mmCIF file of all heavy atoms in Angstrom:
data_model
loop_
_atom_site.group_PDB
_atom_site.id
_atom_site.type_symbol
_atom_site.label_atom_id
_atom_site.label_comp_id
_atom_site.label_asym_id
_atom_site.label_seq_id
_atom_site.Cartn_x
_atom_site.Cartn_y
_atom_site.Cartn_z
ATOM 1 N N ILE P 1 110.218 108.097 81.506
ATOM 2 C CA ILE P 1 111.208 107.147 82.020
ATOM 3 C C ILE P 1 112.281 107.909 82.777
ATOM 4 O O ILE P 1 112.930 108.813 82.226
ATOM 5 C CB ILE P 1 111.842 106.334 80.887
ATOM 6 C CG1 ILE P 1 110.761 105.545 80.137
ATOM 7 C CG2 ILE P 1 112.920 105.397 81.432
ATOM 8 C CD1 ILE P 1 111.245 104.897 78.859
ATOM 9 N N TYR P 2 112.454 107.543 84.041
ATOM 10 C CA TYR P 2 113.479 108.135 84.917
ATOM 11 C C TYR P 2 114.631 107.151 85.024
ATOM 12 O O TYR P 2 114.419 105.941 85.194
ATOM 13 C CB TYR P 2 112.883 108.412 86.288
ATOM 14 C CG TYR P 2 113.890 108.518 87.421
ATOM 15 C CD1 TYR P 2 114.525 109.719 87.709
ATOM 16 C CD2 TYR P 2 114.199 107.406 88.213
ATOM 17 C CE1 TYR P 2 115.445 109.821 88.748
ATOM 18 C CE2 TYR P 2 115.110 107.497 89.255
ATOM 19 C CZ TYR P 2 115.727 108.706 89.513
ATOM 20 O OH TYR P 2 116.631 108.802 90.543
ATOM 21 N N GLU P 3 115.846 107.666 84.974
ATOM 22 C CA GLU P 3 117.022 106.817 85.106
ATOM 23 C C GLU P 3 118.127 107.593 85.811
ATOM 24 O O GLU P 3 118.353 108.773 85.522
ATOM 25 C CB GLU P 3 117.502 106.369 83.721
ATOM 26 C CG GLU P 3 118.558 105.296 83.735
ATOM 27 C CD GLU P 3 118.878 104.819 82.318
ATOM 28 O OE1 GLU P 3 118.114 103.989 81.786
ATOM 29 O OE2 GLU P 3 119.868 105.326 81.745
ATOM 30 N N ALA P 4 118.810 106.950 86.744
ATOM 31 C CA ALA P 4 119.915 107.599 87.465
ATOM 32 C C ALA P 4 120.774 106.539 88.120
ATOM 33 O O ALA P 4 120.325 105.406 88.357
ATOM 34 C CB ALA P 4 119.381 108.577 88.506
ATOM 35 N N GLU P 5 121.996 106.907 88.416
ATOM 36 C CA GLU P 5 122.881 106.051 89.199
ATOM 37 C C GLU P 5 123.595 106.927 90.226
ATOM 38 O O GLU P 5 124.779 107.249 90.096
ATOM 39 C CB GLU P 5 123.881 105.307 88.310
ATOM 40 C CG GLU P 5 124.506 104.125 89.025
ATOM 41 C CD GLU P 5 125.035 103.067 88.072
ATOM 42 O OE1 GLU P 5 125.138 103.342 86.869
ATOM 43 O OE2 GLU P 5 125.356 101.964 88.553
ATOM 44 N N PRO P 6 122.858 107.346 91.267
ATOM 45 C CA PRO P 6 123.379 108.323 92.243
ATOM 46 C C PRO P 6 124.662 107.838 92.913
ATOM 47 O O PRO P 6 124.769 106.688 93.340
ATOM 48 C CB PRO P 6 122.239 108.440 93.263
ATOM 49 C CG PRO P 6 121.026 107.953 92.544
ATOM 50 C CD PRO P 6 121.506 106.909 91.599
ATOM 51 N N GLY P 7 125.621 108.746 92.992
ATOM 52 C CA GLY P 7 126.875 108.419 93.649
ATOM 53 C C GLY P 7 127.868 107.684 92.774
ATOM 54 O O GLY P 7 129.044 107.558 93.131
ATOM 55 N N ILE P 8 127.407 107.175 91.633
ATOM 56 C CA ILE P 8 128.280 106.473 90.691
ATOM 57 C C ILE P 8 128.567 107.364 89.491
ATOM 58 O O ILE P 8 129.702 107.480 89.035
ATOM 59 C CB ILE P 8 127.639 105.150 90.229
ATOM 60 C CG1 ILE P 8 127.300 104.275 91.449
ATOM 61 C CG2 ILE P 8 128.570 104.423 89.282
ATOM 62 C CD1 ILE P 8 128.477 103.857 92.286
ATOM 63 N N GLU P 9 127.532 108.007 88.974
ATOM 64 C CA GLU P 9 127.702 108.959 87.881
ATOM 65 C C GLU P 9 128.401 110.218 88.385
ATOM 66 O O GLU P 9 128.393 110.502 89.589
ATOM 67 C CB GLU P 9 126.335 109.326 87.302
ATOM 68 C CG GLU P 9 125.610 108.147 86.686
ATOM 69 C CD GLU P 9 124.173 108.455 86.335
ATOM 70 O OE1 GLU P 9 123.610 109.422 86.891
ATOM 71 O OE2 GLU P 9 123.619 107.727 85.513
ATOM 72 N N PRO P 10 129.006 110.996 87.480
ATOM 73 C CA PRO P 10 129.712 112.214 87.900
ATOM 74 C C PRO P 10 128.816 113.230 88.601
ATOM 75 O O PRO P 10 129.260 113.940 89.496
ATOM 76 C CB PRO P 10 130.259 112.777 86.589
ATOM 77 C CG PRO P 10 130.310 111.613 85.659
ATOM 78 C CD PRO P 10 129.165 110.730 86.034
ATOM 79 N N GLY P 11 127.565 113.320 88.170
ATOM 80 C CA GLY P 11 126.658 114.297 88.753
ATOM 81 C C GLY P 11 125.402 113.662 89.304
ATOM 82 O O GLY P 11 125.270 112.432 89.353
ATOM 83 N N TRP P 12 124.460 114.507 89.694
ATOM 84 C CA TRP P 12 123.237 114.058 90.356
ATOM 85 C C TRP P 12 121.989 114.532 89.618
ATOM 86 O O TRP P 12 120.924 114.666 90.204
ATOM 87 C CB TRP P 12 123.229 114.564 91.806
ATOM 88 C CG TRP P 12 124.253 113.867 92.641
ATOM 89 C CD1 TRP P 12 125.599 114.037 92.598
ATOM 90 C CD2 TRP P 12 124.015 112.849 93.624
ATOM 91 N NE1 TRP P 12 126.223 113.200 93.490
ATOM 92 C CE2 TRP P 12 125.275 112.470 94.139
ATOM 93 C CE3 TRP P 12 122.859 112.248 94.128
ATOM 94 C CZ2 TRP P 12 125.417 111.492 95.120
ATOM 95 C CZ3 TRP P 12 123.002 111.284 95.110
ATOM 96 C CH2 TRP P 12 124.266 110.910 95.600
ATOM 97 N N GLU P 13 122.119 114.758 88.307
ATOM 98 C CA GLU P 13 120.966 115.220 87.541
ATOM 99 C C GLU P 13 120.011 114.095 87.176
ATOM 100 O O GLU P 13 118.804 114.276 87.150
ATOM 101 C CB GLU P 13 121.414 115.908 86.239
ATOM 102 C CG GLU P 13 122.417 117.026 86.423
ATOM 103 C CD GLU P 13 123.813 116.566 86.052
ATOM 104 O OE1 GLU P 13 124.205 115.469 86.510
ATOM 105 O OE2 GLU P 13 124.503 117.282 85.307
ATOM 106 N N GLY P 14 120.536 112.889 86.878
ATOM 107 C CA GLY P 14 119.727 111.822 86.334
ATOM 108 C C GLY P 14 119.339 112.120 84.894
ATOM 109 O O GLY P 14 119.761 113.127 84.303
ATOM 110 N N ARG P 15 118.520 111.234 84.317
ATOM 111 C CA ARG P 15 118.076 111.393 82.942
ATOM 112 C C ARG P 15 116.573 111.170 82.863
ATOM 113 O O ARG P 15 116.012 110.379 83.633
ATOM 114 C CB ARG P 15 118.795 110.395 82.028
ATOM 115 C CG ARG P 15 120.266 110.674 81.861
ATOM 116 C CD ARG P 15 120.999 109.524 81.222
ATOM 117 N NE ARG P 15 120.961 108.313 82.046
ATOM 118 C CZ ARG P 15 121.684 108.122 83.143
ATOM 119 N NH1 ARG P 15 122.504 109.080 83.572
ATOM 120 N NH2 ARG P 15 121.601 107.008 83.837
ATOM 121 N N LEU P 16 115.945 111.828 81.910
ATOM 122 C CA LEU P 16 114.504 111.709 81.729
ATOM 123 C C LEU P 16 114.214 111.507 80.249
ATOM 124 O O LEU P 16 114.703 112.258 79.401
ATOM 125 C CB LEU P 16 113.793 112.963 82.238
ATOM 126 C CG LEU P 16 112.267 112.975 82.180
ATOM 127 C CD1 LEU P 16 111.681 111.841 83.018
ATOM 128 C CD2 LEU P 16 111.739 114.316 82.684
ATOM 129 N N PHE P 17 113.430 110.472 79.947
ATOM 130 C CA PHE P 17 113.025 110.161 78.584
ATOM 131 C C PHE P 17 111.504 110.236 78.502
ATOM 132 O O PHE P 17 110.803 110.008 79.491
ATOM 133 C CB PHE P 17 113.504 108.761 78.184
ATOM 134 C CG PHE P 17 114.984 108.560 78.318
ATOM 135 C CD1 PHE P 17 115.547 108.185 79.538
ATOM 136 C CD2 PHE P 17 115.829 108.749 77.233
ATOM 137 C CE1 PHE P 17 116.916 107.989 79.673
ATOM 138 C CE2 PHE P 17 117.206 108.561 77.357
ATOM 139 C CZ PHE P 17 117.744 108.188 78.578
ATOM 140 N N ALA P 18 110.996 110.529 77.304
ATOM 141 C CA ALA P 18 109.551 110.688 77.161
ATOM 142 C C ALA P 18 109.092 110.229 75.791
ATOM 143 O O ALA P 18 109.867 110.185 74.822
ATOM 144 C CB ALA P 18 109.156 112.150 77.380
ATOM 145 N N ALA P 19 107.820 109.875 75.717
ATOM 146 C CA ALA P 19 107.181 109.510 74.456
ATOM 147 C C ALA P 19 105.723 109.920 74.511
ATOM 148 O O ALA P 19 105.128 110.017 75.597
ATOM 149 C CB ALA P 19 107.301 108.017 74.197
ATOM 150 N N ARG P 20 105.153 110.158 73.332
ATOM 151 C CA ARG P 20 103.737 110.470 73.220
ATOM 152 C C ARG P 20 103.004 109.272 72.608
ATOM 153 O O ARG P 20 103.565 108.533 71.791
ATOM 154 C CB ARG P 20 103.526 111.703 72.328
ATOM 155 C CG ARG P 20 104.013 112.993 72.932
ATOM 156 C CD ARG P 20 103.154 113.427 74.111
ATOM 157 N NE ARG P 20 103.481 114.782 74.561
ATOM 158 C CZ ARG P 20 102.875 115.374 75.567
ATOM 159 N NH1 ARG P 20 101.923 114.733 76.239
ATOM 160 N NH2 ARG P 20 103.207 116.602 75.927
ATOM 161 N N ALA P 21 101.746 109.114 72.995
ATOM 162 C CA ALA P 21 100.981 107.964 72.521
ATOM 163 C C ALA P 21 100.772 107.994 71.008
ATOM 164 O O ALA P 21 100.609 106.944 70.377
ATOM 165 C CB ALA P 21 99.636 107.913 73.244
ATOM 166 N N ASP P 22 100.797 109.171 70.398
ATOM 167 C CA ASP P 22 100.531 109.284 68.969
ATOM 168 C C ASP P 22 101.802 109.361 68.127
ATOM 169 O O ASP P 22 101.751 109.698 66.937
ATOM 170 C CB ASP P 22 99.665 110.516 68.694
ATOM 171 C CG ASP P 22 100.318 111.813 69.173
ATOM 172 O OD1 ASP P 22 101.401 111.740 69.789
ATOM 173 O OD2 ASP P 22 99.735 112.891 68.959
ATOM 174 N N LYS P 23 102.956 109.034 68.728
ATOM 175 C CA LYS P 23 104.218 109.138 68.011
ATOM 176 C C LYS P 23 105.148 108.017 68.444
ATOM 177 O O LYS P 23 105.332 107.783 69.645
ATOM 178 C CB LYS P 23 104.873 110.498 68.279
ATOM 179 C CG LYS P 23 106.193 110.710 67.548
ATOM 180 C CD LYS P 23 106.784 112.065 67.906
ATOM 181 C CE LYS P 23 108.128 112.275 67.242
ATOM 182 N NZ LYS P 23 108.741 113.579 67.613
ATOM 183 N N ALA P 24 105.759 107.324 67.490
ATOM 184 C CA ALA P 24 106.669 106.234 67.813
ATOM 185 C C ALA P 24 108.005 106.767 68.313
ATOM 186 O O ALA P 24 108.474 107.824 67.880
ATOM 187 C CB ALA P 24 106.890 105.362 66.576
ATOM 188 N N GLY P 25 108.635 106.015 69.228
ATOM 189 C CA GLY P 25 109.967 106.359 69.692
ATOM 190 C C GLY P 25 109.986 107.077 71.023
ATOM 191 O O GLY P 25 109.029 107.758 71.398
ATOM 192 N N VAL P 26 111.088 106.889 71.732
ATOM 193 C CA VAL P 26 111.310 107.520 73.034
ATOM 194 C C VAL P 26 112.509 108.444 72.909
ATOM 195 O O VAL P 26 113.556 108.045 72.379
ATOM 196 C CB VAL P 26 111.564 106.464 74.127
ATOM 197 C CG1 VAL P 26 111.885 107.127 75.455
ATOM 198 C CG2 VAL P 26 110.358 105.544 74.274
ATOM 199 N N GLU P 27 112.393 109.669 73.374
ATOM 200 C CA GLU P 27 113.465 110.652 73.255
ATOM 201 C C GLU P 27 113.871 111.185 74.626
ATOM 202 O O GLU P 27 113.025 111.343 75.510
ATOM 203 C CB GLU P 27 113.010 111.822 72.372
ATOM 204 C CG GLU P 27 112.660 111.424 70.949
ATOM 205 C CD GLU P 27 112.188 112.596 70.124
ATOM 206 O OE1 GLU P 27 111.942 113.679 70.717
ATOM 207 O OE2 GLU P 27 112.065 112.442 68.894
ATOM 208 N N GLN P 28 115.164 111.470 74.773
ATOM 209 C CA GLN P 28 115.631 112.072 76.020
ATOM 210 C C GLN P 28 115.206 113.529 76.069
ATOM 211 O O GLN P 28 115.281 114.257 75.066
ATOM 212 C CB GLN P 28 117.141 111.962 76.146
ATOM 213 C CG GLN P 28 117.668 112.452 77.492
ATOM 214 C CD GLN P 28 119.126 112.080 77.726
ATOM 215 O OE1 GLN P 28 119.740 111.390 76.921
ATOM 216 N NE2 GLN P 28 119.675 112.530 78.843
ATOM 217 N N MET P 29 114.751 113.957 77.240
ATOM 218 C CA MET P 29 114.300 115.334 77.429
ATOM 219 C C MET P 29 115.402 116.154 78.075
ATOM 220 O O MET P 29 116.158 115.650 78.920
ATOM 221 C CB MET P 29 113.068 115.377 78.340
ATOM 222 C CG MET P 29 111.865 114.612 77.836
ATOM 223 S SD MET P 29 110.427 114.858 78.926
ATOM 224 C CE MET P 29 109.944 116.538 78.460
ATOM 225 N N LEU P 30 115.504 117.410 77.687
ATOM 226 C CA LEU P 30 116.384 118.334 78.382
ATOM 227 C C LEU P 30 115.764 118.696 79.720
ATOM 228 O O LEU P 30 114.558 118.966 79.808
ATOM 229 C CB LEU P 30 116.600 119.594 77.539
ATOM 230 C CG LEU P 30 117.452 119.442 76.278
ATOM 231 C CD1 LEU P 30 117.483 120.761 75.512
ATOM 232 C CD2 LEU P 30 118.862 118.994 76.639
ATOM 233 N N LEU P 31 116.568 118.700 80.748
ATOM 234 C CA LEU P 31 116.086 119.059 82.079
ATOM 235 C C LEU P 31 116.250 120.563 82.291
ATOM 236 O O LEU P 31 117.252 121.142 81.864
ATOM 237 C CB LEU P 31 116.862 118.291 83.147
ATOM 238 C CG LEU P 31 116.710 116.771 83.086
ATOM 239 C CD1 LEU P 31 117.706 116.104 84.034
ATOM 240 C CD2 LEU P 31 115.290 116.349 83.434
ATOM 241 N N PRO P 32 115.308 121.214 82.950
ATOM 242 C CA PRO P 32 115.418 122.652 83.186
ATOM 243 C C PRO P 32 116.684 123.006 83.967
ATOM 244 O O PRO P 32 117.051 122.317 84.921
ATOM 245 C CB PRO P 32 114.164 122.976 83.997
ATOM 246 C CG PRO P 32 113.210 121.880 83.699
ATOM 247 C CD PRO P 32 114.051 120.667 83.475
ATOM 248 N N GLU P 33 117.335 124.086 83.554
ATOM 249 C CA GLU P 33 118.565 124.506 84.228
ATOM 250 C C GLU P 33 118.322 124.797 85.702
ATOM 251 O O GLU P 33 119.202 124.568 86.542
ATOM 252 C CB GLU P 33 119.141 125.740 83.542
ATOM 253 C CG GLU P 33 120.478 126.179 84.109
ATOM 254 C CD GLU P 33 121.046 127.401 83.398
ATOM 255 O OE1 GLU P 33 120.413 127.867 82.431
ATOM 256 O OE2 GLU P 33 122.109 127.880 83.822
ATOM 257 N N ALA P 34 117.129 125.265 86.028
ATOM 258 C CA ALA P 34 116.820 125.551 87.429
ATOM 259 C C ALA P 34 116.888 124.293 88.286
ATOM 260 O O ALA P 34 117.159 124.369 89.490
ATOM 261 C CB ALA P 34 115.427 126.172 87.543
#
């Protein structure tokens, strides 16, 4: 799941969430510093 609000949020990183088919729940992922 990708989510962002460009130009409204303080930065331009956006957010990324993920889930696996064999596990309940969706968790936010850390984005690589690069």
Side-chain angles (χ1 to χ4, degrees):
I1 300 170
Y2 158 86
E3 190 175 279
E5 197 157 13
I8 304 298
E9 297 170 340
W12 290 73
E13 306 103 313
R15 292 167 297 285
L16 183 60
F17 304 85
R20 291 291 189 180
D22 59 356
K23 181 182 177 182
V26 176
E27 299 179 349
Q28 186 168 356
M29 300 185 75
L30 289 176
L31 298 170
E33 185 179 357

